[in-house]
Structures are given as C-alpha cells and as structure tokens.
Amino acid sequence: MSHAQVDEWPSVRGSCAWVGAALEIQFAGRAEPWAERGSIPCHAVPGVLVHAQVLRAMLNGGLVQPLGNWLIYALALAGAALVFLRSSALSAALYALFIGGLAVAALLLLRAGWFLESAGPALAATLAVSGRFVNDALAQARERATLRNAFGGYVSPQIMDEILAGRIQPGLGGKRQRICILFSDIRDFTTLSEFMAPEALIDMLNRYFSEMTQSVHAQGGTVDKFIGDGMMCFFGAPQPLERPAAAAVACARDMLVRLDRLNASFKALGIEPIAIGIGLHVGDAVVGHVGSDQRHEYTVIGDAVNTASRIEGLTKKLGYALVISKDVWGEVAGRENFTPLGEHPVKGRSSVEVYGYTGDSTGD
C-alpha cells in the first residue's frame, strides 16, 4: 500500500494492515460473496485472516495458551464430588456457584492469555447433580410406596398423604380445628354375635366395615378407629374442609344406602340383616398425637367428640338411624329431610337439641 493510499484512509495510519484475497470462497460448487456468508468452514478460512489473528495475539502479549490437563481433571473431580451432596437447596446453590465460578474464571484467564477448558468440569458437575437428584427422587418414591403398602391399612388415606408430605410432625400434642365427628354402631350386636360362629362374625364385620370405610373416604373423612362393632370418624382434619358437617351428613346417608345393599347380600347368605345408628356433632376439637412417648395415635379429643358419641347413643331410643345435633343441622342443605326431635339429656353434659333423618326412620 503506497503512502498516497494511506493518506486517503487516515484510519489506517499507524496500524498494521494485511492485504489478501478474501472476496469470494467456493461453497458447494458456486461462488458466494464474503459479505453474504453466514459462516466459514474451517478449511475455507482465508489465509490472510489466520495471519491477522496471529498478529493480533502477538500484539496483545502472545498466543492464548491452554491450561494444563491436570487442572481440568481436578476441576472435573470437584464437580463430580457434588454427587455426594443430598438433593436440597444447598446442593443446587453449590452447583450454580460452581458453574458461575467456572464461567468467571474462564473469562478472567482468557484475558490473561490462558484458555480454561470449562466444558468438561461443567459437564461432570451437571451429571453429578442431576444424577443425585434423580436417584434421590427414585429412592423417595420407593420409600413412600413401601410406607403406603405397609401402613396404608392402618390409617386413612388423608392421614397417610399428610405423613408422606411431612405435614404431620412426630411428638405428642395437637392443634384446635373445627371438625364434624361421626359415631356409628351396630344395634344388638351382642345378641347377634351370640348365635354366629366367630369366623362368620369376623367375616361379616369386615364386609360391613369395608363398605362404611369407603363412604367415609369418599367424602374426605378420616376413620379414627374401630371400636368393636362401632366406628369413630371425623371430617375436617388433617385436611381442612370448607363444610365438614355437610360432608359428614353426605357420608352418613351413603352409609345407610350401602347398608341396604349389604343386608340384601347377607339375606342371600342366610345372615340376619343388621341395623345401625349414626350420630353426628360439629364443633372445635384438638387434633393430634395422643398417648405416650412410646405408643400414641393420631386422633381427636374434646367435648364435640363426647357429644357425638352420646348422640349416637340416642338413635335407638329415638327410632332414627341417623341423628344429628342442631349445630350440624344448621350447616347442611336439605334440612327438610330432618325432623326436630327436641332437646334430650345426654350423659356428662347439658341437654342437646337433635334432629332425626326422616329418610331412614326405623322404629326399633
């Protein structure tokens, strides 16, 4: 380039300039202008560009040098060591810190003339963390399945779900919640059991409890315990229900429908039909672990529980299969299906105003 040409381009003065052919490169058998190419294959890079890059590196302190392999291996091992951390927010934070540190280190080293091959360590860390997360997730799934299979028959699904979710904590104590309590009992069970073989009696009870339990669970209730031929259930805990009394009444109605079907099958087998009484009351109670440090159960305690039990005891006397308190009656729809039965004394507390379900009056 002559001095006259340099004078025509002041921006070139004092700079190193390379002149070479880079106007056209052959691609797929046809010529394409340099400016229209999206990318340049490595084998087609013009030599003048290679020379320019070499000169640029020399003017900036020399060519970029790769770091030793030992450092790459050490960083990869450090990333792989993340596999020993349990899946948690801490392990995720350490992974993000490791990847971010690699990126920052690679940039700073590049400015200093060193090239850090960060892909290998980053891949090792990613595989370690993702592998640990997948392994822990599978282990937790297996553990939950084992717990559900081992103890699913001992607690209601709602309680099992809360245990697996970690929302029911170990230790004695509980919290106050508004719940509806249901008590049911087979009438004249003592007389019935007197004329049945124990094996046949157990089979009959298991079939009966299976049907009643399905009704409870279908309405989001919890079976607290089986008391001989009776059941204690509650609605509104551990998972709160917007209308626990309505759910309990719907459950009680379904229990009576299922009982009719069950009695039909009993009759076909030559077994005497059975009659039940159901009592409901709604109110505040303490829900939680009750017992000793060595042996306790998840249950409900309070005056509302005692009242529901006493109301169930009134069913035979009043002649109704389903009797509810005034508090329950005030929270349910379809009140026309209930008839007022007035106030009745119950053991251990003041009189209770109750209503009988007219759809299933019995007259026992």
Side-chain angles (χ1 to χ4, degrees), residues 24-306:
E24 292 183 354
I25 295 180
Q26 296 296 326
F27 287 96
R30 63 188 180 88
E32 293 189 5
W34 171 275
E36 295 179 0
R37 292 196 316 276
S39 61
I40 307 175
C42 294
H43 65 274
V45 175
V48 65
L49 290 183
V50 176
H51 295 162
Q53 290 295 336
V54 172
L55 177 61
R56 179 186 178 189
M58 294 177 64
L59 292 175
N60 286 279
L63 297 175
V64 175
Q65 299 295 323
L67 291 170
N69 289 335
W70 66 269
L71 180 58
I72 307 302
Y73 295 149
L75 290 173
L77 286 175
L82 294 175
V83 74
F84 296 107
L85 297 178
R86 293 178 56 186
S87 301
S88 63
L90 176 61
S91 62
L94 289 176
Y95 169 72
L97 184 63
F98 182 81
I99 297 298
L102 276 180
V104 172
L107 180 60
L108 295 177
L109 288 170
L110 186 61
R111 290 187 175 183
W114 297 95
F115 175 66
L116 173 62
E117 177 57 62
S118 57
L123 179 61
T126 300
L127 291 176
V129 172
S130 59
R132 182 57 189 258
F133 267 80
V134 170
N135 180 74
D136 288 353
L138 292 176
Q140 290 178 5
R142 288 194 297 268
E143 181 180 359
R144 292 185 178 189
T146 300
L147 285 173
R148 192 177 293 277
N149 292 333
F151 299 102
Y154 294 93
V155 296
S156 289
Q158 291 81 0
I159 295 180
M160 177 60 70
D161 291 341
E162 294 294 298
I163 291 174
L164 295 178
R167 289 189 288 267
I168 294 182
Q169 300 301 323
L172 301 179
K175 63 178 181 178
R176 180 187 293 265
Q177 288 184 239
R178 183 169 179 80
I179 61 174
C180 188
I181 304 95
L182 179 152
F183 275 89
S184 72
D185 188 70
I186 298 178
R187 293 177 179 172
D188 300 321
F189 179 75
T190 302
T191 303
L192 179 67
S193 61
E194 182 180 353
F195 300 99
M196 291 185 68
E199 295 80 6
L201 186 64
I202 288 294
D203 181 67
M204 184 269 290
L205 277 177
N206 287 338
R207 292 181 61 184
Y208 163 73
F209 283 138
S210 294
E211 290 289 334
M212 301 302 105
T213 298
Q214 291 180 41
S215 294
V216 175
H217 291 167
Q219 297 298 329
T222 297
V223 176
D224 185 292
K225 57 177 67 71
F226 300 105
I227 313 168
D229 59 303
M231 292 176 64
M232 172 183 168
C233 313
F234 55 87
F235 298 78
Q239 298 174 351
L241 295 176
E242 184 178 353
R243 299 174 61 200
V249 169
C251 169
R253 289 173 172 174
D254 186 56
M255 289 171 68
L256 296 174
V257 172
R258 288 175 181 268
L259 180 65
D260 287 340
R261 295 201 300 262
L262 195 59
N263 277 332
S265 66
F266 285 162
K267 185 176 181 180
L269 296 173
I271 301 175
E272 286 293 324
I274 60 177
I276 65 174
I278 304 173
L280 299 180
H281 182 59
V282 64
D284 290 342
V286 175
V287 184
H289 296 288
V290 177
S292 68
D293 292 332
Q294 293 76 29
R295 175 70 171 86
H296 49 263
E297 62 180 359
Y298 187 84
T299 186
V300 292
I301 296 291
D303 178 68
V305 179
N306 299 329

